[in-house]
Structures are given as structure tokens and as C-alpha cells.
Amino acid sequence: MGKALIVGAGGVASVVVHKCCQNSDVFEEICIASRTVEKCDALKNKLDGGRTKIHTAQLNADNTDEVINIIKKFEPDVVINVALPYQDLTIMDACLATGVHYVDTANYEPPDTPKFEYKWQWAYKEKFEEAGITALLGSGFDPGVTGVFTAYAQKHHFDEIHTIDIVDANAGDHGYPFATNFNPEINIREITANGRYFENGQWIETEPLSEKRVYDLPEIGPKDIYLLYHEELESLSVNIKGIKKIRFWMTFSEKYLTHLRVLENVGMTSIEPIEFEGKEIIPLQFLKAILPDPASLGPRTKGKTNIGCIIRGIKDGKPKTYYIYNVCDHEECYKEVGSQAISYTTGVPAMIGAMLIIKGIWKKPGVYNVEEFDPDPFMEALNKNGLPWQENFTPTLID
Amino acid sequence: MGKALIVGAGGVASVVVHKCCQNSDVFEEICIASRTVEKCDALKNKLDGGRTKIHTAQLNADNTDEVINIIKKFEPDVVINVALPYQDLTIMDACLATGVHYVDTANYEPPDTPKFEYKWQWAYKEKFEEAGITALLGSGFDPGVTGVFTAYAQKHHFDEIHTIDIVDANAGDHGYPFATNFNPEINIREITANGRYFENGQWIETEPLSEKRVYDLPEIGPKDIYLLYHEELESLSVNIKGIKKIRFWMTFSEKYLTHLRVLENVGMTSIEPIEFEGKEIIPLQFLKAILPDPASLGPRTKGKTNIGCIIRGIKDGKPKTYYIYNVCDHEECYKEVGSQAISYTTGVPAMIGAMLIIKGIWKKPGVYNVEEFDPDPFMEALNKNGLPWQENFTPTLID
């Protein structure tokens, strides 16, 4: 049916590739492109021989012309961008130049002042409309599925949504005293940044990790959750009409926070270079080098993730609460695709977004977040592709 | 009266130099020698103009011939070694070659396998006897004053000493979340090493920091104290006849230990080099580089140290207990000599040892630890030189 260019060859890209190959009726051909072509080749070697034809290419995605050249050569229907968030715009430019649809999982961030903000990508809306192509932003789990869950709640369960609490819990245990998932810079930035939530039309800042609750999560149990800012809050605050309050909560264990606080105290999380043996060294980069490689966590991680939305509002004139969530098991993910749940929950929705675009089910010219499309086909695809969701109509609320 | 060559120009050396200048009737001339002659010159500039004549010299103390040359040129009565413990033997060799007395504050350690053990230096006993010169080992506070305290108790208060608990408490607060005194490598090694104590003729190993008590220290209050091995245990177990049990205890705050544990967990205290940006980097060395310079702690440290010996035994056929200790105030030390109490309590006894040797009061050919001399003149000198001691005949015992 179609062809996808997958930019990136890390943990999430690997899940996307596996899932595309599981849906070879839609993804007849894929091309995996990244700076390190050996990583792409390794993925190809692992999955070759199925019905999806796999190509690989060396690509510096910072360079729009290189992306254009690969698109012209491979002629994909859609580009799935699971590389670094610094490259969203160069890849979107290449899609515009070639008339190819675009999907990503995280908002663009300027490399020098990284920030969770959609303004740079939303600014492409008219250009994508004029080019007649679709850019689907933030089609991971959070952002991504959390937006689809909200759109689904809006469509089927509420006349008005008033509050949303997104709860992202990872009860995985990798057995190391300390390690970070994904890129440790991003983890560290997440918890050292101010929290922020939306209430009555305003954004309210909170001190880092100052808002804490204990929440008893299905299949995981009671966990410390902390209020953070997360990028889907921005799009949901705009796209869910009548919304009064949106917050995002993430679990961190006391042990994890103690480690991170100590590392911050001694200066190991700093990005200011220091002079060491005649060389400028950024402490955070050195910390990354001594911590376990995030890629090594997969085979060792046990336990589950639970990510979902607790939604309150009005249906048929009466107050209603609704909790929709997915539970994902690290070990099962690893068995299936060789990555644990963190990569799995991001990669599967990226594949689904691209699949809905190739099938023509989610297709409207412009730049959109996931909650702006009909959630039903996406929700159906989640159930079919390893991320089944569950509902609870009497959840405990977060005060 | 005499001349001393001081090897080293760090915090302890600075105290020694200050204290020699305060005793210019004994120390008519001193020479400060270290690898970095600028440090020696800075000390000279600070103290020049008093009655003690100060010289400086550039010296690599790893090289015995260089030490011999300086001794031949300066002709000191005694060498005070307050450099690194890796250089004890080369300096002792130079003393033997030139017939000059020797004083240090810490046992020799082989650079490749650092270890608290006197065997290498004790092996010089006959050579020093034959040369007719004295080597006084471990004349700091602990080792050093703790041995003198024990010899004083032996001489004046006990017929038999049965148990000694040495308690080293530092209640100083430098205001940083985390920093180490002296060389952080040594601090870290101290707490990550197994504990060890002497009982009934045997050495008993304990897991690192596994033996913990809370002890209420005079002028400091209740502190967590942990059993460690410390080098004076070796000499006291040999030199105090009839001793049944000796233990060494040091205070560590929970916050300090948490920081150190996290740094150990993530691998920052490792001395195994890792490959980083094309360079071999030892994590512990990098940690040292990002932590506050120990030399910068002096002006900021408030609070006191309390180091002493709780001794039990028999006097006149009856059980007796005796606690002898010194309390030292970080800020007062800094005001007096520009170093805080950690350096002060080590440097003053080094000066006293050298003074007693120059005066001919402590002088017998061979290699000795402090407890092998008459303690009285040393005890008197402590009171006169800023380290007054106090006694308590009904201390709380450590179980």
C-alpha cells in the first residue's frame, strides 16, 4: 500500500521498524535513515526476509538538502521522524519541498535553548495546507496517545471536559542503582525544570518537584507522582474547548530523585564546560558517559508502565469522571521487539499515525496534533498493535 | 637553635610553617620545598619579616637525589615531611644519606596499591639506628596526638590499658552541599574500605560503615560515629602492652554519606579510566576537579572538631575509665594561621615532634611512633601551641 521513510535508528526507531514490518500490508517498503548507517543496517539485518522491503541510508537530518535527496530517491508517502527534536524543522522543510506527509513524536527544540513549545512547528500550518500535505505532531504516547485518549473521551463520554490529569508512571526496575531512560539530559532537564499547569486560561508555574501526590495506579500500586510541564499540555489547552485545568504528573522514586539531587549538588548535571587536564569537558556529558547506556536497560528491565488520563467534566448535564489508561509490560515488549516499554509506547503510536496517513484515514492538509483527528481508528489500532487500553468510570481523583 | 626542612606546601605545610615561625627560638631557619615553588614563595611572602629566616626551594620529593641535594645545601637538623604519603621512603632515604632526623604525619603508601601499613617504614629501623638518627612516624593528630594521649594515660592513669576507642569528630560546616577535606580520594577510600579493629590479638574486619553508634561529644553534641580502620591502630596494638581491644571511630553525617554513596553508585569514585571524547579519564579525578577545592573550605568552615581517646583499664587493681580529647574551632584556626582545624590539628603536632627532636628531648636512633616517647613534653607543648586537651574521668563508654 505505501512507503515510509523512518529517520532515526535508536530505541524508538527500532520499535517503529518492527511495528511497520508487522503491518506489511500498509508498509510495503520502508527506508531507515540515520547518521550512523551501521545502526540502520543492523535493524535491517534483524528484520529482513519478511514482507516489508527494507532499505537503509546514511543521513545527517540537520541538512534539509540531504533529507530532500533521500526522499526524492526513495519516494515515501510519509516521513516518520524519530530522530532528535532538534531536527524537526529541517525534516518538515524537506517534506514541504517534496510534498510528503510528516509524523513526529516530540516538538521541535532549538538546539541552543531547548524548550517544550509548538510555536515553531505550528508556524508551518499554512505552508503545509498550501502544499496539500499533513504534518502530524507528537504521535508518541505522551504526547500522542494521551491526546487521542482525550479526544476519545470528548467524542464518547463528555459534553464538556473540565479537567485532565495525565499520569505517566514507570514502575520498571532495571536493577542498576541509577540510570536514566532515553537521553539522560532530557530526564535531568525534566525534573530540574519548573512545573507548569494550565488553569482557567492561565499557566501557573511551580517550583521543580514541589507538587507531589501519591497515586494508586492499576497494576502498579501506589507511587509518588510529581507535577511537571509536558508538551501535550500546550496543544490540549488550545484544542479541548472549554477546558479549565490540565496537569501532567510523572512518577519518580525517592531513590531516583536522591541520586539526581546529589549529582546536581556536586555539579555533575551542569552543561557549563570545565577545564580538565587541558580539555574543556561538560560535566553532564561526562555523566552520560559513565552511566549505563540507556540502550542496555532493555534486556534487564522488569515491571510495567501505566500512562493515562483522568478526566472530569459534564455529560448529559451531570458531573462525570473517566480514567483511560494503558498498562505496558517491559519484559513483554522486550520479548516482542527487543526494546522495553518506554521505547515501545512511543514507537507504536508513531507507526499508527503514519499508518492512518498512508491509509488516508487521517489526512488533512496542514499541521495538526493528534487530538485534532477522529480518535476511533487510532484507538482501534492501539488495541491491535500491542497497546490495549482500559477504562475506569470511578477513579480516585487527584486533589 | 635549629633548622628544619619542610617538604610540602599544602594546607598542613602552611600550618607547620606558621607554627615554626611562632617558635622562632627553636626554628631559627626553615626551608619550604615542594614541586610548585610558587606555593612555597607565597608562604614565605606571607610570613617573612619575623625572627625565623625562611628559604624556599623547588623539589620533586619522588627523587631521593633531589632531596639529598637540598638537605646538603640547607643543612637542616630535621626534615618535616608533610607532602604525599607516597614520598615517605624517598625522603627517609635522603635523611639516611645525610644523617638528618625525619618526621612525618602519615605512613608510606605504595602509589599503585595505597594501604595503611607501617611495615615499609618500620623496616628502616636498623638503618636509622646505625646512622644515629631518629625517624618519628605519624606525628599528626590521628595518628599522632592520639598515640601521645594513650602514652600519657599509660604513664599517669593506668597500670594496664585494656581498651582504647579513638573518636574523631568533625562538626565543621563549610556550607557546600558536598565537599571533601584534604584529598577527596583519601576521604572516599576511607569510607568505602572495610572497617577493621583489634581484639584479643586478632584483627577483625567489618563491612564498610557497618558499625555505627551515636556518641554525645563534648562541645559538639550527639553525632553518628562509624568504625573505620586507621593507621595508629597498628602501632598502638604493638606498643601498648597488654592491650585487648582498639577501635577507631569517625563521624560522618547522613548527608555526606548519601552524597558519597550516590557518587559511588554511578561510578564517579572509580579509579578505572573510561574512554571519553578520545581521552582516558579517571572518574575520581574528574570528580575532584568539579568538587570545591579543599583549600577553599578554610575561610567558609564554621564549627569545631573533637578528637580524643576513651580508655579503659586497671589502676591500683581497680577498673578505671579515662577520656582525653582536644576541641578545635575551625574559625579560630583560620583566623590564626589561614587554615581550618583539619589542617591545624595535623600541622601543630608535626611542628611539636620536630621541636622536641631539635631540642634533643625526643631523640633516640631508630624509627619510632609517637607513643614510644615520653608523652609529657609533647602534652605540655600541645597546651602551649593551640591544641589544649581536656580530661574526663566518667565518660560514656562505647558499647
Side-chain angles (χ1 to χ4, degrees), chain A residues 328-341 344-345:
Chain A
C328 195
D329 185 288
H330 287 292
E331 286 177 287
E332 282 175 23
C333 293
Y334 194 79
K335 242 179 275 170
E336 184 193 329
V337 300
S339 300
Q340 32 85 305
Y344 192 92
T345 53

Side-chain angles (χ1 to χ4, degrees), chain A residues 34-256:
Chain A
S34 93
R35 206 179 295 264
T36 317
V37 74
E38 293 76 18
K39 285 188 176 178
C40 307
D41 291 338
L43 272 172
K44 174 178 158 68
N45 290 340
K46 195 172 165 194
L47 285 158
D48 242 357
R51 289 196 298 153
T52 299
K53 189 158 194 300
I54 305 175
H55 310 263
T56 64
Q58 205 275 332
L59 170 65
N60 171 9
D62 290 325
N63 184 327
T64 298
D65 288 338
E66 279 195 35
V67 186
I68 290 172
N69 285 341
I70 285 185
I71 291 177
K72 282 191 174 159
K73 203 170 151 208
F74 179 60
E75 297 184 334
D77 299 282
V78 59
V79 176
I80 306 175
N81 169 18
V82 280
L84 297 172
Y86 313 122
Q87 299 165 338
D88 289 2
L89 299 189
T90 49
I91 297 172
M92 286 175 81
D93 286 332
C95 287
L96 276 171
T98 53
V100 170
H101 303 298
Y102 171 88
V103 174
D104 70 25
T105 66
N107 69 224
Y108 170 72
E109 301 180 37
D112 43 344
T113 51
K115 211 172 174 182
F116 296 124
E117 222 175 299
Y118 279 115
K119 70 175 177 198
W120 295 281
Q121 292 182 278
W122 284 349
Y124 278 67
K125 194 172 179 80
E126 278 186 31
K127 287 190 212 166
F128 270 72
E129 282 171 1
E130 284 162 16
I133 52 172
T134 303
L136 177 62
L137 306 186
S139 187
F141 205 104
D142 47 337
V145 176
T146 51
V148 176
F149 281 172
T150 303
Y152 181 80
Q154 177 83 77
K155 182 175 178 183
H156 297 285
H157 295 293
F158 290 93
D159 297 323
E160 282 173 37
I161 287 180
H162 290 164
T163 75
I164 307 170
D165 281 300
I166 301 170
V167 181
D168 178 335
N170 179 5
D173 180 6
H174 46 59
Y176 288 114
F178 182 73
T180 55
N181 297 308
F182 273 141
N183 186 329
E185 282 179 69
I186 293 174
N187 286 52
I188 285 164
R189 209 174 72 201
E190 242 172 9
I191 80 133
T192 53
N194 277 347
R196 191 145 53 106
Y197 66 97
F198 180 86
E199 189 166 24
N200 298 325
Q202 291 195 311
W203 290 100
I204 296 156
E205 294 255 340
T206 58
E207 293 290 304
L209 306 186
S210 58
E211 289 289 313
K212 179 190 173 185
R213 305 283 188 279
V214 177
Y215 200 76
D216 193 354
L217 290 133
E219 298 187 47
I220 281 188
K223 294 283 164 199
D224 294 341
I225 60 172
Y226 293 87
L227 189 146
L228 300 183
Y229 183 68
H230 221 244
E231 65 183 78
E232 66 261 53
L233 301 189
E234 184 184 9
S235 71
L236 289 171
S237 72
V238 172
N239 291 326
I240 305 303
K241 301 302 166 207
I243 187 79
K244 294 192 167 121
K245 189 176 187 176
I246 317 184
R247 296 179 296 190
F248 183 93
W249 304 87
M250 191 174 270
T251 53
F252 297 110
S253 73
E254 194 48 45
K255 186 177 174 192
Y256 177 87

Side-chain angles (χ1 to χ4, degrees), chain A residues 177-178 258-259 261-263 265-268 274-277 279-283 285-287 289-291, chain B residues 177-178 258-259 261-263 265-268 274-277 279-283 285-287 289-291:
Chain A
F178 182 73
T258 296
H259 277 72
R261 280 188 197 113
V262 164
L263 293 169
N265 277 346
V266 302
M268 281 305 296
I274 68 155
E275 177 83 18
F276 180 75
E277 294 177 358
K279 195 171 146 67
E280 297 265 292
I281 289 183
I282 294 171
Q285 295 296 340
F286 187 76
L287 177 62
I290 63 160
L291 289 180
Chain B
F178 182 73
T258 296
H259 277 70
R261 279 189 197 111
V262 164
L263 293 170
N265 277 346
V266 301
M268 280 305 296
I274 67 157
E275 175 84 16
F276 180 76
E277 294 178 359
K279 196 171 146 66
E280 295 267 290
I281 290 183
I282 294 170
Q285 294 297 339
F286 187 76
L287 176 62
I290 63 160
L291 288 180

